[in-house]
Amino acid sequence: MTTEQKDVDATLDPLYIQESGEAYRNPTEVQMSQIVLPCHANHCGELSAGQLLKWMDSTACLSAERHAGCSCITASVDDINFEHTIGVGKVVNIIAKVNRAFTSSMEVGILVTCEDLYTDRQWKVCHAFATFVARRTEAGKVQLKQVIPHTQMEQMEYSLAAERRRMRLIHAEIITDLLSSSTAQLGECQEYQDAVPAERTRVESVELVLPPHANHQVSTFGGQIMAWMENVATIAACRLCNAHPTLRTIDMFHFRGPSHIGDRLVVKAIVNNAFKHSMEVGVCAEAYQGGEPLRHINSAFMTFEVLDSDRKPRTLPRLRPEPVDGKRRYQEAIARKKIRLDRKYIITCKQTEVPLSVPWDPSNQMYLSYNNVSALKLMDTRNNWVLTSEKNKVRLYTLEENHMLCFKVEMYVSVPAEQTFHLLSDLRRRKEWDRHYEECDLINQADEDDTLYRVATPSIKKGGKGQDFILLASRRKPCDSSDPYLIALRSVTLPTHPPTEDYTRGEVLCAGFAIWEESSTLTKVGQMRGTRHHALLLAALHVTPALTTIHTCRTQAKK
């Protein structure tokens, strides 16, 4: 089995057999398979990214409507990273299913793979998440039914969907803050003699929305709008490099309003900045009918590369931005590139490849916090924990997988869940009743949910140095009754707090608490810790304190 095949298998659910003996299939799952014909491809014989976006949107919409039982519209699409191109003659397989439903919106996961019928090989092209909103019915606002996860993969996506939703809701505000703070530090644009004027890359195209472009609700397909935007963005990129570019990423975007049959859709694009091997193209879609003013439908930022004969990124020409707005876009593109690199560095790579300590910066707080909570949720949803011991109704579980060794201590306490959450989330109080916390200082209260601490622990060897940790503590209250309270911990690095001679700097990849409300007075508490095969250190420092932590929680609550 090839590495690509393993990657595909890892993103799919294992076969789940129900008590009836029948294989389980998610009721919201929709599959689409398309063979790539010349009419779907560009002049390089590769599937147009716009065509792929249309297929992805159609498949995801059908999945959303299967769950909602009514018509749905595309509200937003998270970042999409295209890992491979697809040639003519290959088969595109798209699987979409609803990961979680909220009040009137739902997250749909979309997996795209490519299949070579002659060699029986498959590989992943992209994995995307789209948000769909159920349209109002004659009876009023729709109240979506809850998704009930059955498999480990479904439970994992269900749990992570709440964290992704949180990131979407604050994404626009955080990006605005980051850009406003970053552009002031970027300085003036550099001038290059051989630079290509940005004005040369400007493209504007008008599309008339006809019935074939609309869905069964007489609204323009979101995928069709994305396809038109990708087409115009590609032309802008071509004008900079005089070659055929390859779309690599699309940043998260939201549809600001609908478009209908008869609309004139004005799509504009321009290259914002060109880096050594990539360029950012900004594209905007606006609609109007008759003499109406333009309505803003969508804006997106797309990153392109130009590949040479060896499929390696080619060096791109420099760009000379236009005065005023052009320079603003040029500088903001630099800030967005940093954000994309942070996102890829922290979120996109596999958990076993994530660096133990990532540098903390306000610009990457959102992604560090997401990774922190997601890692704990992923650990908690594992179903292959092994019960190692049980004493006084306290259970110790272990899990060894790939290069990770994980521990979980679990027990029930007669303390309300919210009170337990508040007791455990302030690490400064832990040293009062946990002898393994020698010192705990608050470094920075980033916001209500994220706090930076320095924690010091005594030496496990007589006469040896103690350890200290710089920890990001991320708290989460339940999104609904099916979620736990979470307190996630992971190491970060801070220039203001370098390692010292008095302590050995320790690192935590993933640790924290999951607190489940069983009743108004009974709470299930699980403390987890994951490491990369530092088993003896882990056992000495963190499993024993877990027992003390949970038992003491009851005493502290009574006080």
Side-chain angles (χ1 to χ4, degrees):
M1 183 180 290
T2 65
T3 303
E4 289 174 338
Q5 182 68 53
K6 289 179 182 177
D7 289 343
V8 172
D9 291 343
T11 60
L12 299 174
D13 268 345
L15 189 63
Y16 176 74
I17 305 299
Q18 303 177 91
E19 292 182 1
S20 62
E22 297 181 358
Y24 165 78
R25 180 174 176 178
N26 189 302
T28 70
E29 183 180 300
V30 173
Q31 298 185 16
M32 176 187 288
S33 292
Q34 297 277 358
I35 191 164
V36 179
L37 301 175
C39 61
H40 302 137
N42 55 35
H43 66 280
C44 295
E46 297 172 348
L47 174 64
S48 161
Q51 180 63 62
L52 178 57
L53 290 169
K54 288 168 66 174
W55 286 340
M56 290 168 63
D57 183 65
S58 299
T59 311
C61 183
L62 292 173
S63 174
E65 293 185 344
R66 176 174 284 183
H67 179 75
C70 62
S71 60
C72 298
I73 56 175
T74 313
S76 68
V77 180
D78 289 3
D79 306 328
I80 304 177
N81 178 39
F82 296 99
E83 299 178 20
H84 300 281
T85 56
I86 305 173
V88 171
K90 301 295 190 295
V91 173
V92 178
N93 295 310
I94 304 174
I95 299 176
K97 56 185 176 182
V98 177
N99 291 330
R100 185 163 184 165
F102 301 97
T103 305
S104 59
S105 67
M106 67 205 93
E107 179 190 278
V108 180
I110 311 163
L111 174 64
V112 181
T113 61
C114 183
E115 179 182 358
D116 189 328
L117 296 174
Y118 296 100
T119 62
D120 199 29
R121 289 175 54 245
Q122 285 196 59
W123 56 93
K124 188 176 82 168
V125 176
C126 67
H127 194 188
F129 300 98
T131 301
F132 283 80
V133 175
R135 302 190 73 173
R136 291 175 180 269
T137 63
E138 294 180 0
K141 192 174 183 180
V142 176
Q143 176 69 48
L144 294 173
K145 59 186 177 183
Q146 292 299 309
V147 171
I148 302 175
H150 287 83
T151 68
Q152 178 185 332
M153 184 67 71
E154 289 181 1
Q155 178 60 50
M156 179 187 74
E157 294 294 3
Y158 178 90
S159 182
L160 294 182
E163 191 63 17
R164 284 190 290 261
R165 180 174 184 257
R166 179 182 183 276
M167 191 161 65
R168 287 181 204 112
L169 293 175
I170 63 175
H171 181 266
E173 178 183 342
I174 289 179
I175 292 295
T176 301
D177 291 343
L178 291 178
L179 293 179
S180 61
S181 61
S182 297
T183 50
Q185 303 170 11
L186 294 175
E188 293 297 322
C189 301
Q190 294 183 355
E191 296 288 345
Y192 298 95
Q193 287 187 341
D194 57 346
V196 177
E199 183 61 31
R200 176 180 160 187
T201 70
R202 186 182 296 277
V203 182
E204 180 174 322
S205 179
V206 179
E207 302 286 349
L208 176 60
V209 181
L210 300 172
H213 304 137
N215 55 27
H216 49 293
Q217 308 157 32
V218 202
S219 297
T220 316
F221 262 121
Q224 179 63 68
I225 296 174
M226 287 188 278
W228 282 331
M229 294 175 73
E230 185 273 337
N231 178 63
V232 173
T234 300
I235 296 172
C238 283
R239 289 182 175 174
L240 175 76
C241 58
N242 296 323
H244 182 75
T246 299
L247 179 62
R248 284 304 186 202
T249 64
I250 303 177
D251 286 7
M252 180 189 297
F253 61 85
H254 295 77
F255 284 96
R256 300 170 182 266
S259 169
H260 306 284
I261 293 175
D263 276 349
R264 281 69 169 170
L265 209 67
V266 182
V267 187
K268 305 173 184 177
I270 190 170
V271 177
N272 290 331
N273 203 335
F275 308 100
K276 184 175 181 180
H277 292 135
S278 66
M279 69 184 93
E280 181 194 275
V281 179
V283 57
C284 168
E286 299 172 313
Y288 71 94
Q289 266 196 8
E292 295 178 355
L294 289 170
R295 310 188 310 274
H296 188 185
I297 301 297
N298 190 7
S299 291
F301 299 99
M302 303 184 183
T303 305
F304 290 84
E305 291 177 344
V306 177
L307 305 180
D308 60 20
S309 56
D310 296 324
R311 308 298 293 174
K312 300 293 184 183
R314 210 175 77 185
T315 302
L316 298 175
R318 296 286 187 174
L319 185 84
R320 183 168 65 249
E322 303 167 293
V324 190
D325 283 347
K327 290 187 176 181
R328 173 185 56 79
R329 291 194 300 267
Y330 182 95
Q331 292 176 316
E332 289 179 351
I334 298 174
R336 276 190 294 270
K337 183 186 178 186
K338 180 188 182 304
I339 293 168
R340 280 192 286 269
L341 290 175
D342 284 343
R343 188 166 55 223
K344 183 177 180 181
Y345 183 62
I346 298 168
I347 295 178
T348 308
C349 56
K350 297 176 183 177
Q351 191 60 35
T352 54
E353 299 170 354
V354 176
L356 284 177
S357 291
V358 176
W360 165 269
D361 187 276
S363 68
N364 66 12
Q365 176 187 341
M366 178 170 63
Y367 307 114
L368 272 173
S369 180
Y370 171 85
N371 176 269
N372 191 14
V373 175
S374 298
L376 189 67
K377 286 188 171 186
L378 286 171
M379 192 186 301
D380 190 37
T381 54
R382 296 291 188 191
N383 59 8
N384 49 345
W385 288 98
V386 177
L387 180 61
T388 304
S389 66
E390 183 174 2
K391 186 177 181 181
N392 297 328
K393 296 184 180 181
V394 177
R395 295 181 176 182
L396 173 63
Y397 296 88
T398 58
L399 170 63
E400 188 170 0
E401 195 171 76
N402 297 324
H403 301 291
M404 292 284 294
L405 180 63
C406 307
F407 285 79
K408 176 167 71 171
V409 179
E410 191 175 273
M411 72 171 294
Y412 290 86
V413 294
S414 299
V415 180
E418 188 169 5
Q419 194 172 5
T420 304
F421 172 68
H422 287 298
L423 283 167
L424 295 178
S425 60
D426 187 352
L427 299 190
R428 290 173 297 179
R429 296 195 59 184
R430 185 161 171 173
K431 63 180 181 179
E432 299 173 10
W433 38 263
D434 186 349
R435 61 187 177 86
H436 294 83
Y437 265 52
E438 194 173 62
E439 298 176 23
C440 184
D441 302 317
L442 189 150
I443 298 174
N444 179 24
Q445 183 75 51
D447 58 30
E448 183 181 354
D449 296 319
D450 293 329
T451 310
L452 291 171
Y453 294 97
R454 177 188 172 271
V455 173
T457 63
S459 171
I460 58 176
K461 292 182 180 180
K462 190 173 182 180
K465 287 185 179 181
Q467 278 195 311
D468 68 345
F469 304 82
I470 306 300
L471 298 179
L472 168 64
S474 301
R475 318 177 337 144
R476 294 292 186 273
K477 291 185 178 181
C479 183
D480 58 41
S481 59
S482 61
D483 285 325
Y485 292 87
L486 286 173
I487 304 163
L489 306 172
R490 69 153 295 156
S491 288
V492 295
T493 56
L494 281 174
T496 55
H497 290 74
T500 63
E501 294 182 358
D502 299 331
Y503 289 91
T504 301
R505 178 57 51 89
E507 293 181 314
V508 176
L509 175 64
C510 176
F513 295 92
I515 303 164
W516 299 85
E517 184 177 30
E518 299 291 313
S519 69
S520 59
T521 57
L522 186 65
T523 301
K524 182 174 77 172
V525 183
Q527 180 179 9
M528 290 163 281
R529 167 77 190 253
T531 188
R532 292 175 184 166
H533 285 313
H534 299 305
L536 294 177
L537 175 63
L538 177 64
L541 287 180
H542 294 278
V543 175
T544 304
L547 308 182
T548 310
T549 297
I550 299 168
H551 279 298
T552 309
C553 174
R554 187 179 348 189
T555 306
Q556 293 289 331
K558 289 178 180 178
K559 290 180 181 180

